[in-house]
């Protein structure tokens, strides 16, 4: 599975959009991009995933560049409850039994 | 929330004693995983299962064994606990379609 690179930490003002970048320059054509977050001491929570096209759900939007070497998770109106560690993972969904390798992630702090 | 429970939620044990952690799901998902998380580290995969009696090792499997005799239960055993196994343990499940993982609340294990 491809490695990912994320900034260690980011701040965002409450009510503004939070844009979390992820680099995955060695991604293969059949690898998906998944995003999870972990709020302090809780189990990680699935947010969104995509292959090529941009995706949106009730929690967030995922923008994947055309060359698929990077992506951005967008929380459109960040709240204090969005303060968490955000993990970007790339992997082939159909192989390796869907196992993921979680790196250190980005600590997002939403400030009033 | 996905129906995943972990037991016990907290445990303190002594070095050299056996410990079994249980993960129980009500989602009938095929895949189940055990991760550990240590301060300053992301999640590291210990073992995973891709069906009843079908298991495989993750990246930090030494000192751990697993069993899955029923779809809904995945057990993690520390045959002889060591202080280095003090950690928070998370169970996760995923289906066989999109492979996003849903995590349990975690078990905090302290080995003294």
């Amino acid at each position: 599975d491809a490695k990912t690179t994320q900034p260690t930490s980011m701040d965002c003002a409450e009510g503004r959009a939070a844009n979390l970048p992820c680099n995955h320059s060695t991604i293969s054509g059949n690898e998906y991009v998944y995003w999870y977050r972990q709020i302090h001491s809780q189990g990680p929570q699935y947010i969104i995933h995509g292959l090529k096209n941009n995706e949106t759900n009730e929690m967030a939007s995922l923008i994947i560049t055309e060359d698929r070497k990077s992506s951005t998770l967008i929380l459109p109106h960040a709240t204090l409850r969005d303060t968490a560690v955000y993990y970007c993972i790339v992997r082939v969904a159909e192989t390796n039994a869907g196992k993921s390798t979680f790196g250190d992630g980005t600590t997002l702090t939403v400030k009033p | 929330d996905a129906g995943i429970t972990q037991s016990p939620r907290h445990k303190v044990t002594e070095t050299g004693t056996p410990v079994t952690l249980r993960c129980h799901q009500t989602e009938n998902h095929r895949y189940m995983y055990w991760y550990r998380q240590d301060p300053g580290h992301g999640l590291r995969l210990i073992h995973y299962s891709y069906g009843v009696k079908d298991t495989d090792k993750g990246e930090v499997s030494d000192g751990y064994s697993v069993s899955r005799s029923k779809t809904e239960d995945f057990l993690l055993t520390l045959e002889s606990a060591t202080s280095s196994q003090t950690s928070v343990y998370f169970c996760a499940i995923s289906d066989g379609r999109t492979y996003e993982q849903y995590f349990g609340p975690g078990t905090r294990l302290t080995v003294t």
Side-chain angles (χ1 to χ4, degrees):
Chain A
D1 293 333
K3 298 291 186 183
T4 63
T5 303
Q6 299 178 252
T8 302
S9 63
M10 295 181 63
D11 291 341
C12 178
E14 187 178 20
R16 304 297 292 270
N19 297 283
L20 292 93
C22 180
N23 286 319
H24 30 81
S25 59
T26 60
I27 192 170
S28 301
N30 59 350
E31 287 184 309
Y32 288 71
V33 180
Y34 290 76
W35 282 84
Y36 293 80
R37 73 180 182 184
Q38 186 173 26
I39 297 171
H40 179 64
S41 78
Q42 298 181 17
Q45 176 188 24
Y46 165 79
I47 301 173
I48 198 168
H49 76 281
L51 181 63
K52 295 180 183 178
N53 300 321
N54 299 336
E55 302 287 345
T56 296
N57 63 20
E58 64 278 5
M59 289 182 65
S61 295
L62 173 61
I63 308 298
I64 302 174
T65 58
E66 190 169 348
D67 63 8
R68 303 210 322 121
K69 293 185 176 183
S70 66
S71 60
T72 301
L73 178 74
I74 301 172
L75 307 178
H77 305 287
T79 71
L80 298 179
R81 287 178 295 180
D82 291 322
T83 292
V85 179
Y86 287 77
Y87 297 98
C88 168
I89 298 152
V90 293
R91 60 173 168 81
V92 180
E94 293 79 17
T95 64
N96 297 322
K99 61 181 179 180
S100 303
T101 299
F102 288 73
D104 293 332
T106 296
T107 299
L108 174 69
T109 303
V110 180
K111 298 185 175 182
Chain B
D1 289 343
I4 311 169
T5 56
Q6 293 184 231
S7 58
R9 295 292 313 280
H10 301 272
K11 186 171 182 66
V12 179
T13 192
E14 293 184 349
T15 298
T17 60
V19 177
T20 296
L21 308 183
R22 181 187 184 226
C23 177
H24 178 79
Q25 61 147 329
T26 58
E27 305 296 320
N28 201 36
H29 281 355
R30 178 181 175 188
Y31 298 99
M32 299 185 75
Y33 313 80
W34 277 108
Y35 291 87
R36 62 177 288 174
Q37 186 171 40
D38 303 295
H41 291 82
L43 290 153
R44 293 182 290 174
L45 181 66
I46 305 171
H47 282 279
Y48 66 97
S49 168
Y50 47 97
V52 173
K53 298 186 179 179
D54 291 323
T55 65
D56 204 351
K57 296 179 179 180
E59 61 181 309
V60 290
S61 60
D62 288 347
Y64 301 95
S65 62
V66 290
S67 65
R68 190 168 178 201
S69 59
K70 298 184 289 185
T71 299
E72 58 266 34
D73 289 326
F74 193 33
L75 305 180
L76 177 71
T77 297
L78 291 65
E79 301 290 346
S80 178
T82 68
S83 59
S84 64
Q85 294 175 311
T86 292
S87 188
V88 179
Y89 292 84
F90 288 102
C91 173
I93 64 174
S94 68
D95 64 19
R97 295 179 296 110
T98 56
Y99 294 91
E100 65 260 29
Q101 295 183 352
Y102 297 94
F103 286 78
T107 293
R108 184 172 297 276
L109 176 68
T110 302
V111 183
T112 61

